[in-house]
Coordinates of all heavy atoms in Angstrom, one line a residue:
M1 N 0.8 -1.2 0.0 CA 0.0 0.0 0.0 C 0.9 1.3 0.0 O 0.5 2.3 -0.5 CB -0.9 0.0 1.2 CG -2.0 1.0 1.2 SD -3.2 0.8 -0.1 CE -4.0 -0.7 0.3
A2 N 2.1 1.2 0.6 CA 2.9 2.4 0.7 C 3.3 2.9 -0.7 O 3.4 4.1 -0.9 CB 4.2 2.1 1.5
E3 N 3.5 2.0 -1.7 CA 3.9 2.5 -3.0 C 2.8 3.3 -3.6 O 3.1 4.3 -4.3 CB 4.2 1.3 -4.0 CG 5.4 0.4 -3.6 CD 5.0 -0.6 -2.5 OE1 3.9 -1.0 -2.4 OE2 5.9 -0.9 -1.8
T4 N 1.6 3.0 -3.4 CA 0.5 3.8 -4.0 C 0.4 5.1 -3.3 O 0.3 6.1 -3.9 CB -0.9 3.0 -3.7 OG1 -0.8 1.8 -4.4 CG2 -2.0 3.8 -4.3
W5 N 0.6 5.2 -2.0 CA 0.6 6.4 -1.3 C 1.8 7.3 -1.7 O 1.7 8.5 -1.8 CB 0.6 6.2 0.2 CG -0.8 6.2 0.8 CD1 -1.5 5.1 1.2 CD2 -1.6 7.4 1.0 NE1 -2.7 5.6 1.7 CE2 -2.8 6.9 1.6 CE3 -1.4 8.7 0.8 CZ2 -3.9 7.8 1.9 CZ3 -2.5 9.6 1.1 CH2 -3.7 9.1 1.7
E6 N 2.9 6.6 -1.9 CA 4.1 7.4 -2.3 C 3.9 8.0 -3.7 O 4.3 9.1 -3.9 CB 5.3 6.5 -2.3 CG 5.8 6.2 -0.9 CD 7.0 5.2 -0.9 OE1 7.4 4.7 -1.9 OE2 7.5 5.0 0.2
A7 N 3.2 7.3 -4.6 CA 2.9 7.8 -5.9 C 2.0 9.0 -5.8 O 2.1 10.0 -6.5 CB 2.3 6.7 -6.8
V8 N 1.0 8.9 -5.0 CA 0.0 10.0 -4.8 C 0.7 11.2 -4.2 O 0.5 12.3 -4.7 CB -1.2 9.5 -3.8 CG1 -2.0 10.7 -3.4 CG2 -2.0 8.5 -4.5
L9 N 1.5 11.0 -3.2 CA 2.3 12.1 -2.6 C 3.3 12.7 -3.6 O 3.4 14.0 -3.7 CB 3.0 11.7 -1.3 CG 2.1 11.3 -0.2 CD1 2.9 10.8 1.0 CD2 1.2 12.5 0.3
D10 N 3.9 11.9 -4.4 CA 4.8 12.4 -5.5 C 4.0 13.3 -6.5 O 4.5 14.4 -6.8 CB 5.4 11.3 -6.3 CG 6.5 10.5 -5.5 OD1 7.0 11.0 -4.5 OD2 6.8 9.4 -6.0
Q11 N 2.8 12.9 -6.9 CA 2.0 13.7 -7.8 C 1.6 15.0 -7.2 O 1.7 16.1 -7.8 CB 0.8 12.9 -8.3 CG -0.1 13.7 -9.2 CD -1.4 13.1 -9.5 OE1 -1.7 12.0 -9.0 NE2 -2.3 13.8 -10.2
L12 N 1.1 15.0 -5.9 CA 0.7 16.2 -5.3 C 1.9 17.1 -5.0 O 1.8 18.4 -5.2 CB 0.1 15.8 -3.9 CG -1.3 15.2 -4.0 CD1 -1.8 14.7 -2.7 CD2 -2.3 16.1 -4.7
E13 N 3.1 16.6 -4.7 CA 4.2 17.4 -4.5 C 4.7 18.1 -5.9 O 5.1 19.2 -5.9 CB 5.4 16.6 -3.9 CG 5.2 16.3 -2.5 CD 6.1 15.3 -1.9 OE1 6.7 14.6 -2.7 OE2 6.2 15.2 -0.6
G14 N 4.5 17.3 -7.0 CA 4.9 17.9 -8.3 C 3.9 19.0 -8.7 O 4.4 20.0 -9.2
D15 N 2.6 18.8 -8.4 CA 1.7 19.9 -8.7 C 1.9 21.1 -7.8 O 1.9 22.2 -8.3 CB 0.2 19.4 -8.4 CG -0.2 18.3 -9.4 OD1 0.4 18.1 -10.5 OD2 -1.2 17.6 -9.2
L16 N 2.3 20.9 -6.6 CA 2.6 22.0 -5.7 C 3.8 22.7 -6.2 O 3.8 24.0 -6.2 CB 2.9 21.4 -4.3 CG 3.3 22.5 -3.2 CD1 2.1 23.3 -2.8 CD2 3.9 21.8 -2.0
A17 N 4.9 22.0 -6.6 CA 6.1 22.6 -7.1 C 5.8 23.5 -8.3 O 6.3 24.6 -8.5 CB 7.2 21.6 -7.4
G18 N 5.0 22.9 -9.2 CA 4.6 23.7 -10.4 C 3.9 25.0 -10.1 O 4.1 26.0 -10.7
A19 N 3.0 24.9 -9.2 CA 2.2 26.1 -8.8 C 3.1 27.1 -8.1 O 3.1 28.4 -8.3 CB 1.1 25.8 -7.9
Q20 N 4.1 26.7 -7.2 CA 5.0 27.6 -6.6 C 5.9 28.2 -7.6 O 6.2 29.4 -7.5 CB 5.8 26.8 -5.6 CG 5.1 26.4 -4.3 CD 5.8 25.4 -3.4 OE1 6.7 24.7 -3.9 NE2 5.5 25.5 -2.1
H21 N 6.3 27.4 -8.6 CA 7.2 28.0 -9.7 C 6.4 29.1 -10.4 O 7.0 30.1 -10.8 CB 7.6 26.9 -10.6 CG 8.4 27.3 -11.8 ND1 9.7 27.8 -11.7 CD2 8.0 27.5 -13.1 CE1 10.1 28.2 -12.9 NE2 9.1 28.0 -13.8
A22 N 5.2 28.8 -10.7 CA 4.4 29.8 -11.5 C 4.3 31.2 -10.7 O 4.3 32.2 -11.3 CB 3.0 29.3 -11.7
L23 N 4.3 31.1 -9.4 CA 4.2 32.3 -8.6 C 5.6 33.0 -8.5 O 5.7 34.2 -8.3 CB 3.8 32.0 -7.2 CG 2.3 31.8 -7.0 CD1 2.0 31.4 -5.6 CD2 1.5 33.0 -7.4
D24 N 6.7 32.2 -8.6 CA 8.0 32.7 -8.4 C 8.7 33.3 -9.6 O 9.7 34.0 -9.5 CB 8.9 31.6 -7.8 CG 8.5 31.3 -6.4 OD1 7.8 32.1 -5.7 OD2 8.8 30.1 -5.9
V25 N 8.2 33.0 -10.8 CA 8.9 33.4 -12.0 C 8.3 34.6 -12.7 O 7.1 34.8 -12.6 CB 9.0 32.2 -13.1 CG1 9.8 31.0 -12.5 CG2 7.7 31.8 -13.6
E26 N 9.1 35.4 -13.3 CA 8.6 36.4 -14.2 C 8.3 35.9 -15.6 O 9.3 35.4 -16.2 CB 9.6 37.6 -14.2 CG 9.7 38.3 -12.9 CD 8.6 39.3 -12.7 OE1 8.1 39.9 -13.7 OE2 8.3 39.6 -11.6
V27 N 7.1 35.8 -16.0 CA 6.8 35.3 -17.4 C 6.7 36.4 -18.3 O 5.9 37.3 -18.1 CB 5.5 34.5 -17.3 CG1 5.2 33.9 -18.7 CG2 5.7 33.3 -16.3
P28 N 7.6 36.4 -19.4 CA 7.4 37.5 -20.4 C 6.0 37.5 -21.0 O 5.4 36.5 -21.1 CB 8.5 37.2 -21.4 CG 9.4 36.2 -20.8 CD 8.6 35.5 -19.7
T29 N 5.5 38.7 -21.3 CA 4.2 38.8 -21.9 C 4.1 37.9 -23.1 O 5.0 37.9 -24.0 CB 4.0 40.3 -22.3 OG1 4.1 41.1 -21.1 CG2 2.6 40.5 -22.9
G30 N 3.1 37.2 -23.2 CA 2.8 36.3 -24.4 C 3.6 35.0 -24.3 O 3.5 34.3 -25.3
D31 N 4.3 34.7 -23.2 CA 5.0 33.5 -23.2 C 4.4 32.5 -22.1 O 5.1 32.1 -21.2 CB 6.5 33.7 -22.8 CG 7.4 32.5 -23.0 OD1 6.9 31.5 -23.6 OD2 8.5 32.5 -22.5
A32 N 3.1 32.2 -22.3 CA 2.4 31.4 -21.4 C 3.0 29.9 -21.4 O 2.8 29.2 -20.5 CB 0.9 31.3 -21.7
G33 N 3.7 29.6 -22.5 CA 4.3 28.3 -22.6 C 5.4 28.0 -21.5 O 5.8 26.9 -21.3
A34 N 5.9 29.1 -20.9 CA 6.9 29.0 -19.8 C 6.3 28.4 -18.6 O 7.1 28.0 -17.7 CB 7.5 30.4 -19.5
L35 N 5.0 28.4 -18.4 CA 4.4 27.8 -17.2 C 3.9 26.4 -17.5 O 3.6 26.0 -18.6 CB 3.2 28.7 -16.8 CG 3.6 30.1 -16.4 CD1 2.3 30.9 -16.1 CD2 4.5 30.2 -15.2
R36 N 3.9 25.6 -16.4 CA 3.4 24.3 -16.5 C 1.9 24.4 -16.6 O 1.2 25.3 -16.1 CB 3.7 23.5 -15.2 CG 5.1 23.1 -15.1 CD 5.4 22.4 -13.8 NE 4.5 21.3 -13.6 CZ 4.6 20.4 -12.6 NH1 5.6 20.5 -11.8 NH2 3.8 19.4 -12.5
P37 N 1.2 23.4 -17.3 CA -0.2 23.5 -17.4 C -0.8 23.3 -16.0 O -0.3 22.6 -15.2 CB -0.6 22.3 -18.4 CG 0.7 21.5 -18.4 CD 1.8 22.3 -18.0
V38 N -2.0 23.8 -15.9 CA -2.7 23.7 -14.6 C -3.2 22.2 -14.5 O -3.8 21.7 -15.4 CB -3.9 24.6 -14.5 CG1 -4.8 24.4 -13.3 CG2 -3.4 26.1 -14.6
P39 N -2.9 21.6 -13.4 CA -3.4 20.2 -13.3 C -4.9 20.1 -13.2 O -5.5 21.0 -12.7 CB -2.7 19.7 -12.0 CG -2.3 20.9 -11.3 CD -2.1 22.0 -12.3
D40 N -5.4 19.0 -13.6 CA -6.8 18.7 -13.4 C -7.2 18.7 -11.9 O -6.3 18.5 -11.1 CB -7.2 17.4 -14.1 CG -7.1 17.4 -15.6 OD1 -7.2 18.5 -16.1 OD2 -6.8 16.4 -16.2
A41 N -8.4 18.9 -11.6 CA -8.9 18.8 -10.2 C -8.5 17.4 -9.7 O -8.6 16.4 -10.4 CB -10.4 18.9 -10.1
W42 N -7.9 17.4 -8.5 CA -7.5 16.1 -7.9 C -8.6 15.4 -7.3 O -9.4 15.9 -6.6 CB -6.4 16.4 -6.8 CG -5.8 15.2 -6.3 CD1 -4.8 14.5 -6.9 CD2 -6.1 14.6 -5.0 NE1 -4.5 13.4 -6.1 CE2 -5.2 13.4 -5.0 CE3 -6.9 14.8 -4.0 CZ2 -5.2 12.6 -3.9 CZ3 -6.9 14.0 -2.9 CH2 -6.1 12.9 -2.8
L43 N -8.6 14.1 -7.6 CA -9.6 13.2 -7.1 C -8.8 12.1 -6.4 O -7.9 11.5 -7.0 CB -10.5 12.6 -8.1 CG -11.4 13.6 -8.9 CD1 -12.1 12.8 -10.0 CD2 -12.4 14.2 -7.9
P44 N -9.1 11.8 -5.1 CA -8.3 10.7 -4.5 C -8.6 9.4 -5.1 O -9.7 9.1 -5.5 CB -8.9 10.7 -3.0 CG -10.2 11.5 -3.1 CD -10.1 12.4 -4.3
P45 N -7.5 8.6 -5.3 CA -7.7 7.3 -5.9 C -8.6 6.4 -5.0 O -8.6 6.6 -3.8 CB -6.3 6.7 -6.0 CG -5.3 7.8 -5.6 CD -6.1 8.9 -5.0
T46 N -9.3 5.6 -5.7 CA -10.1 4.6 -4.9 C -9.3 3.5 -4.4 O -8.3 3.1 -5.0 CB -11.3 4.1 -5.8 OG1 -10.7 3.4 -6.9 CG2 -12.2 5.2 -6.3
G47 N -9.7 3.0 -3.2 CA -9.0 1.9 -2.6 C -7.6 2.2 -2.1 O -6.7 1.3 -2.0
L48 N -7.4 3.4 -1.8 CA -6.1 3.9 -1.3 C -5.7 3.3 0.0 O -4.6 3.0 0.3 CB -6.0 5.4 -1.3 CG -4.6 6.0 -1.2 CD1 -3.7 5.6 -2.3 CD2 -4.8 7.5 -1.3
G49 N -6.7 3.2 0.9 CA -6.5 2.7 2.2 C -5.9 3.8 3.1 O -5.7 4.9 2.7
P50 N -5.7 3.5 4.4 CA -5.2 4.5 5.3 C -3.7 4.8 5.0 O -3.0 4.0 4.4 CB -5.3 3.8 6.7 CG -5.4 2.3 6.4 CD -6.0 2.2 5.0
L51 N -3.4 6.0 5.4 CA -2.0 6.5 5.2 C -1.0 5.7 6.0 O -1.3 5.6 7.3 CB -1.9 8.0 5.5 CG -0.5 8.6 5.4 CD1 -0.1 8.8 3.9 CD2 -0.6 10.0 6.0
P52 N 0.0 5.1 5.5 CA 1.0 4.4 6.3 C 1.7 5.3 7.3 O 2.0 6.5 6.9 CB 2.0 3.8 5.3 CG 1.2 3.8 4.0 CD 0.3 5.0 4.0
P53 N 1.9 4.9 8.5 CA 2.5 5.8 9.5 C 3.8 6.4 9.1 O 4.1 7.5 9.4 CB 2.6 4.9 10.7 CG 1.7 3.8 10.5 CD 1.5 3.6 9.0
E54 N 4.6 5.7 8.3 CA 5.9 6.2 7.9 C 5.8 7.3 6.9 O 6.8 8.0 6.6 CB 6.8 5.0 7.3 CG 6.3 4.4 6.1 CD 5.4 3.2 6.3 OE1 4.8 3.0 7.4 OE2 5.1 2.5 5.3
L55 N 4.6 7.6 6.3 CA 4.4 8.7 5.4 C 3.7 9.8 6.0 O 3.4 10.8 5.3 CB 3.7 8.2 4.1 CG 4.4 7.1 3.3 CD1 3.5 6.7 2.1 CD2 5.7 7.7 2.8
A56 N 3.3 9.7 7.3 CA 2.5 10.8 7.9 C 3.2 12.1 8.0 O 2.6 13.1 7.7 CB 2.1 10.3 9.3
A57 N 4.5 12.1 8.3 CA 5.3 13.4 8.3 C 5.3 14.0 7.0 O 5.1 15.3 6.8 CB 6.7 13.2 8.9
R58 N 5.5 13.2 5.9 CA 5.6 13.8 4.6 C 4.2 14.3 4.2 O 4.2 15.4 3.6 CB 6.0 12.6 3.6 CG 6.1 13.1 2.2 CD 6.5 11.9 1.3 NE 6.5 12.3 -0.1 CZ 6.5 11.5 -1.1 NH1 6.8 10.2 -0.9 NH2 6.4 11.9 -2.4
A59 N 3.2 13.6 4.5 CA 1.8 14.1 4.2 C 1.5 15.4 4.9 O 0.9 16.3 4.4 CB 0.8 13.1 4.4
H60 N 1.9 15.5 6.2 CA 1.7 16.7 7.0 C 2.4 17.9 6.4 O 1.9 19.0 6.3 CB 2.1 16.4 8.4 CG 1.9 17.6 9.3 ND1 2.9 18.5 9.6 CD2 0.8 18.0 10.1 CE1 2.4 19.5 10.4 NE2 1.2 19.1 10.7
D61 N 3.7 17.7 6.0 CA 4.5 18.7 5.4 C 3.9 19.2 4.1 O 3.8 20.4 3.8 CB 5.9 18.3 5.2 CG 6.7 18.1 6.5 OD1 6.2 18.5 7.5 OD2 7.8 17.4 6.4
L62 N 3.4 18.3 3.3 CA 2.7 18.6 2.1 C 1.4 19.4 2.3 O 1.2 20.4 1.6 CB 2.4 17.3 1.3 CG 1.6 17.5 0.0 CD1 2.3 18.4 -1.0 CD2 1.3 16.1 -0.6
A63 N 0.7 19.0 3.3 CA -0.6 19.8 3.6 C -0.2 21.2 4.1 O -0.9 22.2 3.7 CB -1.4 19.1 4.7
A64 N 0.8 21.3 4.9 CA 1.2 22.7 5.3 C 1.7 23.5 4.2 O 1.4 24.7 4.1 CB 2.3 22.6 6.4
A65 N 2.4 22.9 3.2 CA 2.9 23.6 2.0 C 1.7 24.1 1.2 O 1.8 25.1 0.6 CB 3.9 22.8 1.3
Q66 N 0.7 23.2 1.1 CA -0.5 23.6 0.3 C -1.2 24.8 0.9 O -1.7 25.6 0.2 CB -1.4 22.4 0.2 CG -0.9 21.3 -0.8 CD -1.7 20.1 -0.8 OE1 -2.4 19.7 0.2 NE2 -1.7 19.4 -1.9
V67 N -1.3 24.8 2.2 CA -1.9 25.9 2.9 C -1.2 27.2 2.6 O -1.7 28.3 2.3 CB -2.0 25.6 4.4 CG1 -2.4 26.9 5.2 CG2 -3.0 24.5 4.7
E68 N 0.2 27.1 2.7 CA 1.0 28.3 2.4 C 0.8 28.7 1.0 O 0.7 29.9 0.7 CB 2.5 28.0 2.7 CG 3.4 29.1 2.3 CD 3.2 30.4 3.0 OE1 2.5 30.5 4.0 OE2 3.7 31.4 2.5
L69 N 0.8 27.8 0.1 CA 0.6 28.1 -1.4 C -0.8 28.8 -1.6 O -0.9 29.8 -2.3 CB 0.7 26.9 -2.2 CG 0.4 27.1 -3.7 CD1 1.4 28.1 -4.3 CD2 0.4 25.8 -4.5
A70 N -1.8 28.3 -0.9 CA -3.1 28.9 -1.0 C -3.1 30.3 -0.5 O -3.7 31.2 -1.1 CB -4.2 28.1 -0.2
R71 N -2.4 30.6 0.5 CA -2.2 32.0 1.0 C -1.5 32.9 0.0 O -2.0 34.0 -0.3 CB -1.4 32.0 2.4 CG -1.3 33.4 3.0 CD -0.3 33.4 4.1 NE 1.1 33.1 3.6 CZ 1.8 34.0 3.0 NH1 1.4 35.2 2.7 NH2 3.1 33.7 2.6
R72 N -0.5 32.3 -0.6 CA 0.3 33.1 -1.6 C -0.6 33.3 -2.9 O -0.5 34.4 -3.5 CB 1.6 32.4 -2.0 CG 2.6 32.4 -0.9 CD 3.9 31.7 -1.3 NE 4.5 32.5 -2.5 CZ 5.2 31.9 -3.4 NH1 5.5 30.6 -3.3 NH2 5.7 32.6 -4.4
L73 N -1.3 32.3 -3.2 CA -2.2 32.5 -4.4 C -3.3 33.6 -4.2 O -3.6 34.4 -5.0 CB -2.9 31.2 -4.8 CG -2.0 30.1 -5.4 CD1 -2.7 28.8 -5.5 CD2 -1.6 30.6 -6.8
E74 N -3.8 33.6 -2.9 CA -4.8 34.6 -2.6 C -4.2 36.0 -2.6 O -4.8 36.9 -3.1 CB -5.4 34.3 -1.2 CG -6.4 35.4 -0.8 CD -7.6 35.5 -1.7 OE1 -7.9 34.6 -2.5 OE2 -8.3 36.6 -1.6
Q75 N -3.0 36.1 -2.2 CA -2.3 37.4 -2.2 C -2.1 37.8 -3.7 O -2.3 39.0 -4.1 CB -0.9 37.4 -1.6 CG -0.9 37.4 -0.1 CD 0.5 37.3 0.5 OE1 1.4 36.8 -0.1 NE2 0.6 37.8 1.7
A76 N -1.7 36.9 -4.5 CA -1.5 37.2 -6.0 C -2.8 37.6 -6.6 O -2.8 38.5 -7.5 CB -0.8 36.0 -6.7
R77 N -3.9 36.9 -6.3 CA -5.2 37.2 -6.8 C -5.6 38.6 -6.4 O -6.1 39.4 -7.3 CB -6.2 36.2 -6.4 CG -7.6 36.4 -7.0 CD -8.7 35.7 -6.3 NE -8.9 36.3 -5.0 CZ -9.6 37.5 -4.7 NH1 -10.0 38.2 -5.7 NH2 -9.7 37.9 -3.5
R78 N -5.4 39.0 -5.2 CA -5.8 40.3 -4.7 C -4.9 41.4 -5.4 O -5.4 42.5 -5.8 CB -5.6 40.4 -3.2 CG -6.7 39.7 -2.5 CD -6.6 39.8 -1.0 NE -7.6 39.0 -0.3 CZ -7.8 39.0 0.9 NH1 -7.1 39.7 1.7 NH2 -8.7 38.2 1.5
R79 N -3.6 41.1 -5.6 CA -2.7 42.1 -6.2 C -3.2 42.3 -7.7 O -3.3 43.4 -8.2 CB -1.3 41.6 -6.2 CG -0.3 42.6 -6.6 CD 1.2 42.1 -6.3 NE 1.5 40.7 -6.5 CZ 1.6 39.8 -5.5 NH1 1.5 40.1 -4.3 NH2 1.9 38.5 -5.8
A80 N -3.5 41.2 -8.4 CA -4.0 41.3 -9.8 C -5.3 42.0 -9.9 O -5.5 42.8 -10.8 CB -4.1 39.9 -10.4
A81 N -6.2 41.8 -8.9 CA -7.5 42.5 -8.9 C -7.2 44.0 -8.7 O -7.9 44.8 -9.4 CB -8.4 42.0 -7.8
R82 N -6.3 44.4 -7.8 CA -6.0 45.8 -7.7 C -5.4 46.4 -9.0 O -5.8 47.5 -9.4 CB -5.0 46.0 -6.5 CG -5.6 45.9 -5.1 CD -4.7 46.4 -4.0 NE -3.4 45.8 -4.0 CZ -3.0 44.7 -3.4 NH1 -4.0 44.1 -2.7 NH2 -1.8 44.2 -3.4
H83 N -4.5 45.7 -9.6 CA -4.0 46.2 -10.9 C -5.1 46.3 -11.9 O -5.0 47.3 -12.7 CB -2.9 45.2 -11.4 CG -1.7 45.2 -10.5 ND1 -0.6 44.5 -10.8 CD2 -1.3 45.9 -9.4 CE1 0.4 44.6 -9.9 NE2 -0.1 45.5 -9.0
L84 N -6.0 45.4 -12.0 CA -7.0 45.5 -13.0 C -8.0 46.7 -12.7 O -8.4 47.4 -13.6 CB -7.8 44.2 -13.0 CG -7.1 43.0 -13.7 CD1 -7.9 41.7 -13.5 CD2 -6.8 43.3 -15.1
T85 N -8.2 46.9 -11.4 CA -9.0 48.1 -11.0 C -8.4 49.4 -11.5 O -9.0 50.3 -12.0 CB -9.2 48.1 -9.5 OG1 -9.9 46.9 -9.1 CG2 -10.1 49.3 -9.1
V86 N -7.1 49.5 -11.3 CA -6.3 50.7 -11.7 C -6.4 50.8 -13.2 O -6.6 51.9 -13.8 CB -4.9 50.6 -11.2 CG1 -4.0 51.7 -11.8 CG2 -4.8 50.8 -9.7
L87 N -6.1 49.7 -13.9 CA -6.2 49.8 -15.4 C -7.6 50.2 -15.9 O -7.7 50.9 -16.9 CB -5.8 48.4 -16.0 CG -4.3 48.1 -15.9 CD1 -4.0 46.6 -16.3 CD2 -3.4 49.1 -16.6
D88 N -8.6 49.7 -15.2 CA -10.0 50.0 -15.7 C -10.2 51.5 -15.5 O -11.1 52.1 -16.2 CB -11.0 49.2 -14.9 CG -11.1 47.8 -15.4 OD1 -10.6 47.5 -16.5 OD2 -11.6 46.9 -14.6
A89 N -9.5 52.1 -14.5 CA -9.8 53.6 -14.2 C -9.0 54.5 -15.2 O -9.4 55.7 -15.3 CB -9.3 53.9 -12.8
V90 N -8.1 53.9 -16.0 CA -7.4 54.8 -16.9 C -8.2 54.9 -18.2 O -8.7 53.9 -18.8 CB -6.0 54.1 -17.3 CG1 -5.3 54.9 -18.4 CG2 -5.1 54.0 -16.1
P91 N -8.5 56.2 -18.6 CA -9.3 56.4 -19.8 C -8.6 55.9 -21.0 O -7.4 56.0 -21.1 CB -9.6 57.9 -19.8 CG -8.5 58.5 -19.0 CD -8.1 57.4 -18.0
A92 N -9.4 55.3 -21.9 CA -8.8 54.8 -23.2 C -8.3 56.0 -24.0 O -9.0 57.1 -24.1 CB -9.8 54.0 -23.9
A93 N -7.2 55.9 -24.6 CA -6.7 57.0 -25.5 C -7.5 57.0 -26.8 O -7.9 55.9 -27.3 CB -5.3 56.7 -25.8
P94 N -7.9 58.2 -27.3 CA -8.6 58.2 -28.5 C -7.7 57.7 -29.7 O -6.5 57.8 -29.6 CB -8.9 59.7 -28.7 CG -7.9 60.4 -27.8 CD -7.5 59.5 -26.7
A95 N -8.4 57.2 -30.7 CA -7.6 56.7 -31.8 C -6.9 57.9 -32.5 O -7.5 59.0 -32.6 CB -8.6 56.1 -32.8
P96 N -5.7 57.7 -32.8 CA -5.0 58.9 -33.5 C -5.6 59.2 -34.8 O -6.0 58.3 -35.6 CB -3.6 58.4 -33.6 CG -3.7 56.9 -33.6 CD -4.9 56.5 -32.7
A97 N -5.7 60.5 -35.1 CA -6.3 60.9 -36.4 C -5.2 60.8 -37.4 O -4.0 61.0 -37.1 CB -6.8 62.4 -36.3
P98 N -5.5 60.5 -38.6 CA -4.5 60.4 -39.7 C -3.9 61.8 -39.9 O -4.6 62.8 -39.9 CB -5.2 59.9 -40.9 CG -6.7 60.0 -40.6 CD -6.8 60.1 -39.1
V99 N -2.6 61.8 -40.1 CA -1.9 63.1 -40.4 C -1.2 62.9 -41.7 O -0.3 62.0 -41.9 CB -0.9 63.4 -39.2 CG1 -0.1 64.6 -39.5 CG2 -1.6 63.4 -37.9
F100 N -1.5 63.8 -42.7 CA -0.8 63.7 -43.9 C -1.0 65.1 -44.6 O -1.9 65.9 -44.3 CB -1.3 62.6 -44.9 CG -2.8 62.8 -45.2 CD1 -3.2 63.5 -46.4 CD2 -3.8 62.2 -44.5 CE1 -4.5 63.6 -46.7 CE2 -5.1 62.3 -44.8 CZ -5.5 63.0 -45.9
V101 N -0.1 65.4 -45.5 CA -0.2 66.7 -46.2 C -0.2 66.4 -47.7 O 0.6 65.6 -48.2 CB 1.1 67.5 -45.9 CG1 1.1 68.8 -46.7 CG2 1.2 67.8 -44.4
D102 N -1.2 67.0 -48.3 CA -1.4 66.8 -49.8 C -0.5 67.8 -50.5 O -0.9 68.9 -50.7 CB -2.8 66.9 -50.1 CG -3.1 66.6 -51.6 OD1 -2.1 66.3 -52.3 OD2 -4.3 66.7 -52.0
A103 N 0.7 67.4 -50.8 CA 1.6 68.3 -51.5 C 1.4 68.4 -53.0 O 1.9 69.3 -53.6 CB 3.1 67.8 -51.2
Q104 N 0.6 67.5 -53.5 CA 0.3 67.5 -55.0 C -1.0 68.3 -55.3 O -1.1 68.7 -56.5 CB 0.1 66.1 -55.5 CG 1.3 65.2 -55.3 CD 2.5 65.6 -56.1 OE1 2.4 66.0 -57.2 NE2 3.7 65.5 -55.5
G105 N -1.8 68.5 -54.4 CA -3.2 69.0 -54.6 C -3.4 70.2 -55.2 O -4.2 70.7 -55.9

């Protein structure tokens, strides 16, 4: 049973690392390929059974890291919302009028 739990924890830790990386890197505009794809919603495997005692500390550390990531994601969401509010307050520039001189006319 431990191998299955180890695989589940490996996957969750990989997803966590990807999300942490997305928060930590500066992504150039238009380079969304630099980020890992968002994982699908996690569904616990069926028949997993109870967590083996030797993996309890690892699972506890993972849960604590997920809570910290959720806090950081909320901060990033609020920061992005403030930026969008400021951008919405900036009036749109009028379209520039064509400028030309008819020298032949």
Side-chain angles (χ1 to χ4, degrees):
M1 191 65 66
E3 295 81 27
T4 303
W5 266 105
E6 286 176 354
V8 168
L9 293 175
D10 287 344
Q11 177 189 359
L12 291 172
E13 288 168 343
D15 292 345
L16 177 74
Q20 288 171 331
H21 175 73
L23 284 175
D24 293 338
V25 298
E26 290 281 329
V27 178
T29 303
D31 191 12
L35 298 176
R36 287 177 52 172
V38 175
D40 294 333
W42 186 78
L43 297 173
T46 58
L48 194 56
L51 178 69
E54 64 270 16
L55 296 177
R58 182 178 172 192
H60 181 269
D61 292 345
L62 176 60
Q66 288 174 330
V67 168
E68 174 60 17
L69 177 63
R71 184 193 64 76
R72 290 183 61 207
L73 286 169
E74 179 59 20
Q75 284 179 335
R77 186 199 65 78
R78 288 181 184 184
R79 190 170 41 254
R82 284 192 306 270
H83 290 182
L84 289 173
T85 300
V86 169
L87 287 174
D88 286 342
V90 175
V99 178
F100 61 92
V101 176
D102 184 0
Q104 300 294 321

